[in-house]
Amino acid sequence: MVKKNKKSRFLLALLVYISIFFFLLIISMVIDTTYDAKKLFSACIAAYVIIGICLIIHIGTSGGDFFEPITFISILYMMLFIFEPMIDVYEDNLNWFGGNYTSFGVKGTWIAIAGYLGFFIGYRVERFSFASFSYNKLRYKVKKKPEEMEDDAYYTKVAVIFWIVCYSISVLFLLLSGKSLAFILTGGLTGNGDLLESRKMLGVLSMFSYCLVGAWMLYFVYGKNKSLKVITFILTVFIYYIRGYRFIIIIFVLAPIVFVYLYKQKRPKFVTITAAIIVMIIFVGFVAAARNSVRYGGGISNDMVNWDAALEQVKDNFRIYKTYYALVGYVPQETNYLHGQQIFLYTAFMFVPRIIWKSKPETSAGLYLIRDAISESAFLSGTAYPIIGEFYIEFGSAGVVIFMFLYGYLNKSWLNRYGLSYSKFDKIMYSILLLSNFQIVIRGYTPSNFYMVIFFVLPLLFIKFLKGIKRI
């Protein structure tokens, strides 16, 4: 049965891959656009062919799985560097903050391909072979192993304490930022929501809101009170919504769903996945449309829920590939690489509170490059760049390949350590780490992403730390 399902998935993936290729080929022949845009479209087709072959190899040799990091990351990667650029070429939507950076697109696409190959090799380095494997370990378990003894009552206690403490700190941060308690508890429906400049001095407090993901997941799995689960879930969503955390909300909402599928060794049907994508598009679009209004104390209205507007907001999250193109055209032609200033140096002192270090830089060198490469408005609007954009401005094309290799290896390590475990505790850890790739791939800013992941799983790490002390 396992071999049959594996073969069926491989044949289906191959059919879809070939069908999309011919569809894109036809579009490339009839599209009417500029010379640079046509070159970019062709480069994107080449990228699709190469990345698609890698995925086909993986599915053919390992079985493939929807909840495996390589599947998850590959979809996001192709949306950023293949499909969204193609859509924009087709719709003639190539300008970005008043500039057009399409001429750098071909170079940017080939660097992206090299980066993906680095990721692919890093992910499969333990078994980089074209030989067949008998089953996919993540989806199918040959033998049911006994679970590690888990203290449900103890985990529940830690979860509740962590959630209460971190929620209180999150509320305190919002109060000191100018939000009223009514505004916070109702998700911006009532109350006052002014935004004060003093919040910049309290940035370290804002990071504790990330802990709510791990704390709530622990209670979701080990807790008994269903009403408390629902209440804390809603209050957590309100916190993230007021902060404008679109993808953090998605990670938080999807984490329990992914956990249930993984633990029950089931996978969502195609109809379920399609429905979930539609709901996510509407939700992300709504949050994106309302985020500035809520952040600055404005209200929300029904006219913010609009399919076309929601779809455009989602597409804008992937259009940051244009920022990446601009950086490819600016570095190192106009300025030198950063050589680790952002990835290493700024990550090291980002957590130091401004109230202690008053002269701490307002932002990192990488973000200032956006102002220099594009415009002041792009910088002030907070436009970001994808994961490889950061690797590129730090160490160039070689940096993209090396860091994507390490990123692939890291995700495979998470899969081996937590994803293949039978422990509910490890499944919680894996669900959170897997979904963290949403933010990491699309928002390539290591200082923020590093602490985001650490605080996501801090309640779980705390439990592991206490377990380690007890063994000594």
Side-chain angles (χ1 to χ4, degrees), residues 42-309:
S42 298
C44 288
I45 291 178
Y48 172 78
V49 170
I50 295 170
I51 294 176
I53 288 174
C54 291
L55 277 177
I56 294 296
I57 290 172
H58 181 73
I59 294 171
T61 58
S62 302
D65 190 283
F66 185 72
F67 290 144
E68 195 175 354
I70 191 171
T71 307
F72 206 72
I73 293 169
S74 295
I75 292 172
L76 292 173
Y77 204 90
M78 288 194 288
M79 281 300 303
L80 271 168
F81 303 111
I82 298 176
F83 297 127
E84 189 55 47
M86 285 178 161
I87 292 171
D88 287 342
V89 168
Y90 181 79
E91 295 179 346
D92 193 26
N93 186 12
L94 299 172
N95 286 337
W96 192 241
F97 291 97
N100 189 317
Y101 307 97
T102 312
S103 59
F104 308 117
V106 173
K107 179 182 177 182
T109 302
W110 283 110
I111 293 173
I113 293 172
Y116 183 84
L117 291 175
F119 166 81
F120 183 73
I121 295 171
Y123 189 86
R124 291 179 57 94
V125 70
E126 291 180 303
R127 59 183 191 187
F128 193 65
S129 168
F130 290 90
S132 298
F133 288 86
S134 59
Y135 61 91
N136 182 327
K137 292 182 180 179
L138 181 61
R139 184 167 185 176
Y140 300 106
K141 313 295 183 184
V142 178
K143 293 180 180 179
K144 185 69 176 177
K145 297 180 181 178
E147 294 184 5
E148 178 185 348
M149 293 298 295
E150 296 177 326
D151 189 340
D152 291 21
Y154 176 67
Y155 290 174
T156 300
K157 185 187 298 183
V158 172
V160 171
I161 293 173
F162 246 97
W163 192 91
I164 291 174
V165 171
C166 294
Y167 181 79
S168 301
I169 294 174
S170 301
V171 170
L172 176 63
F173 171 77
L174 291 174
L175 288 172
L176 295 174
S177 299
K179 307 290 189 296
S180 68
L181 187 60
F183 192 87
I184 297 168
L185 296 178
T186 62
L189 291 175
T190 62
N192 177 49
D194 294 335
L195 189 65
L196 304 178
E197 283 299 311
S198 60
R199 76 192 190 282
K200 293 181 179 179
M201 305 294 290
L202 306 165
V204 66
L205 297 180
S206 69
M207 295 183 184
F208 285 92
S209 66
Y210 294 140
C211 290
L212 298 175
V213 174
W216 187 87
M217 279 294 293
L218 280 170
Y219 191 78
F220 169 76
V221 174
Y222 297 105
K224 306 299 181 183
N225 191 319
K226 293 182 180 179
S227 297
L228 186 58
K229 292 179 185 180
V230 173
I231 292 171
T232 51
F233 179 85
I234 293 172
L235 290 174
T236 302
V237 169
F238 281 171
I239 287 287
Y240 292 145
Y241 177 67
I242 292 171
R243 296 292 306 278
Y245 287 163
R246 291 164 290 181
F247 287 105
I248 306 300
I249 296 177
I250 289 179
I251 292 169
F252 178 64
V253 171
L254 290 183
I257 299 173
V258 171
F259 170 84
V260 170
Y261 275 112
L262 287 171
Y263 190 69
K264 292 185 176 181
Q265 297 182 34
K266 295 181 179 180
R267 293 298 178 269
K269 296 180 181 179
F270 179 76
V271 175
T272 304
I273 295 173
T274 303
I277 291 173
I278 292 173
V279 171
M280 283 170 55
I281 289 174
I282 295 174
F283 182 77
V284 172
F286 172 70
V287 174
R291 65 186 299 196
N292 286 332
S293 177
V294 173
R295 272 181 173 177
Y296 290 93
I300 54 177
S301 58
N302 292 331
D303 59 5
M304 289 180 177
V305 184
N306 177 283
W307 172 256
D308 291 335

Side-chain angles (χ1 to χ4, degrees), residues 386-406:
I387 183 172
I388 66 171
E390 181 177 53
F391 299 156
Y392 178 80
I393 62 176
E394 290 280 22
F395 300 104
S397 302
V400 172
V401 175
I402 293 171
F403 279 98
M404 285 301 291
F405 173 89
L406 296 174

Side-chain angles (χ1 to χ4, degrees), residues 373-393:
I374 304 176
S375 66
E376 183 74 19
S377 62
F379 171 73
L380 294 176
S381 71
T383 185
Y385 37 72
I387 183 172
I388 66 171
E390 181 177 53
F391 299 156
Y392 178 80
I393 62 176

Side-chain angles (χ1 to χ4, degrees), residues 9-27 45 48-56 59 78 83:
R9 291 200 303 276
F10 173 74
L11 292 175
L12 178 61
L14 188 61
L15 177 62
V16 171
Y17 169 70
I18 294 173
S19 301
I20 293 177
F21 170 73
F22 281 110
F23 174 75
L24 297 176
L25 205 59
I26 293 170
I27 296 296
I45 291 178
Y48 172 78
V49 170
I50 295 170
I51 294 176
I53 288 174
C54 291
L55 277 177
I56 294 296
I59 294 171
M78 288 194 288
F83 297 127

